[in-house]
Amino acid sequence: MLIVQKYGGTSVGDLDRIANVAKRVARTRDEGHDVIVVVSAMSGETNKLIEYAHFFSKNPDREAMDLLLSSGERVTSALLSIALNEMGYPAVAMTGRQAGIVTDRTHTAARIEKIDPEPMGSAVREGKVVVVAGFQGIGPDGRVTTLGRGGSDLTAVAIAGAMKADLCEIYTDVDGVYTTDPRIEPKAKKMERISYDEMLELASLGAKVLQNRSVEMAKKMGVNLVTRSSFNDNPGTLITKEENIMEQPLVSGIALDKNQARVSLKGVEDRPGIASEIFNALADENVNVDMIVQTIGADGKTEIDFTVPQTEIERARAALERFRDSIGEIDYKENIAKVSIVGVGMKSHSGVAAKAFTTMAEENINIEMISTSEIKISMIIDEKYAELAVRALHEAYELDK
Ligand code: ASP
Ligand code: MG
């Protein structure tokens, strides 16, 4: 098999840990596999480099930033290849450019456009382990680019796709993806398998493990992703096509998002075009609207409620300023939480939503807003009940079993 292994910042956090990674890579070679390794910078390194730049400028030149930040990953890729060679495992370190990774020209937030399989492919054919510096590529002008924070995951997935790897393993300090946040519910269980779509909906659970953009890319390219820990031999969680999951549980996991705020527009003029005007204004200010609920109007007025990320409240305020004349009253509530129940099994079963509502009723938790999709039920509740709700739902769907 050809396996792409990506090691995150904590996994290569110091020299002993890099030595440990080298042993893991060696073991994979011993098992008879070809390996392309993608590494992050040592943990804290990218932040340190950003601080260095900010010593000189609040708004440093982005091209220079890319040159600076890309250096963190180069250090680890070179060190790991030196360690592997010393152990008798031929290895070659490559920068993004040397690995043939071509991006667009958006410095500090570039998108990968294509990958030339030749440089990595020929090294692998020569029996070498390829160690690629993650998070970087080369723009059309020949300048170094970086992919945005956490971008090494993307490098790994894109390489796995381009090289037609059998597996892309993402190593972190977490064992995999859990049915819910174990800090909230200690009975949370590690999932063996989960589909791309479920993983995307459970983003908050995977946030520490995987960047969402890389799950989207894995889905698009059909890359089998495994997230696992580099500190033990536990098997991790496989993120794959829905068809590859034999027994689909009704509910796979419970996610919690406390960073949402609710905006209530009361006494809104009830006429064609008003929603379009309001939400276009929000879009113009780059506000990401999530849930929207409109109540049936009466006396020519209606009420529209929606949620936005807490960090975008000020932008929402600015956008809504223009509607002074067509909206009676605007209310903002920040202490809300969104609890979501996710599972592909709910497509083919009834009663999943009813059970969620009953569980909230039994705990005396008021549901302020509801939205559903094929594989998700989300509820907005008061933030102070968030943890209670998560634990109650986790138990109601027997996720601890
Ligand atoms: N070193 C980069 C960061 O800290 C990229 C990565 O680790 O994925 O964001
Ligand atoms: Mg990361």
Side-chain angles (χ1 to χ4, degrees), residues 155-185:
T155 304
V157 174
I159 288 177
M163 303 303 292
K164 305 195 169 42
D166 300 277
L167 201 59
C168 179
E169 297 181 324
I170 309 279
Y171 285 92
T172 66
D173 50 359
V174 189
D175 270 354
V177 185
Y178 281 75
T179 48
T180 196
D181 185 341
R183 287 169 307 182
I184 298 175
E185 174 50 278

Side-chain angles (χ1 to χ4, degrees), residues 121-361:
S122 59
V124 166
R125 284 191 297 275
E126 286 165 21
K128 291 186 180 139
V129 175
V130 178
V131 188
V132 182
F135 169 62
Q136 58 190 276
I138 190 87
D141 50 359
R143 306 278 298 176
V144 174
T145 52
T146 61
L147 309 179
R149 298 308 303 268
S152 295
D153 291 352
L154 270 181
T155 304
V157 174
I159 288 177
M163 303 303 292
K164 305 195 169 42
D166 300 277
L167 201 59
C168 179
E169 297 181 324
I170 309 279
Y171 285 92
T172 66
D173 50 359
V174 189
D175 270 354
V177 185
Y178 281 75
T179 48
T180 196
D181 185 341
R183 287 169 307 182
I184 298 175
E185 174 50 278
K187 286 188 229 150
K189 284 233 149 43
K190 195 186 67 201
M191 299 182 219
E192 236 171 76
R193 283 162 183 246
I194 184 175
S195 68
Y196 299 119
D197 289 328
E198 286 172 306
M199 188 67 236
L200 288 168
E201 295 285 17
L202 288 169
S204 72
L205 292 182
K208 288 153 291 200
V209 196
L210 260 185
Q211 200 204 32
N212 235 24
R213 264 168 85 200
S214 50
V215 180
E216 276 163 13
M217 187 186 281
K219 180 185 172 185
K220 210 167 78 194
M221 305 184 87
V223 170
N224 283 316
L225 262 184
V226 172
T227 74
R228 52 189 297 195
S229 167
S230 64
F231 300 104
N232 60 47
D233 286 327
N234 297 343
T237 302
L238 172 67
I239 303 160
T240 186
K241 281 197 203 94
E242 209 174 299
E243 300 88 272
N244 295 341
I245 301 174
M246 300 304 234
E247 254 179 79
Q248 286 167 350
L250 216 50
V251 169
S252 302
I254 316 280
L256 173 62
D257 179 1
K258 285 188 174 181
N259 299 320
Q260 294 270 318
R262 192 180 88 183
V263 184
S264 304
L265 312 179
K266 300 194 175 90
V268 181
E269 277 175 16
D270 199 8
R271 58 168 170 82
I274 185 76
S276 152
E277 288 165 32
I278 292 171
F279 290 100
N280 273 311
L282 289 161
D284 288 345
E285 292 285 338
N286 284 316
V287 177
N288 285 295
V289 176
D290 183 16
M291 280 192 203
I292 305 175
V293 173
Q294 177 172 353
T295 45
I296 293 173
D299 309 324
K301 301 282 182 202
T302 185
E303 176 171 341
I304 302 177
D305 289 83
F306 56 91
T307 62
V308 300
Q310 244 165 51
T311 48
E312 296 175 14
I313 275 269
E314 285 316 313
R315 296 213 295 268
R317 251 185 239 281
L320 294 168
E321 194 51 27
R322 305 179 220 168
F323 296 92
R324 282 245 188 86
D325 298 337
S326 38
I327 300 175
E329 193 189 323
I330 307 179
D331 235 27
Y332 299 89
K333 184 178 174 190
E334 295 202 21
N335 47 349
I336 58 156
K338 181 169 83 168
V339 183
S340 303
I341 301 146
V342 175
V344 284
M346 59 176 88
K347 281 187 202 171
S348 48
H349 285 83
S350 55
V352 180
K355 184 177 225 153
F357 306 151
T358 307
T359 307
M360 292 299 98

Side-chain angles (χ1 to χ4, degrees), residues 85-99:
N85 278 312
E86 186 64 23
M87 289 163 67
Y89 293 83
V92 54
M94 294 186 185
T95 64
R97 158 191 238 151
Q98 289 167 332

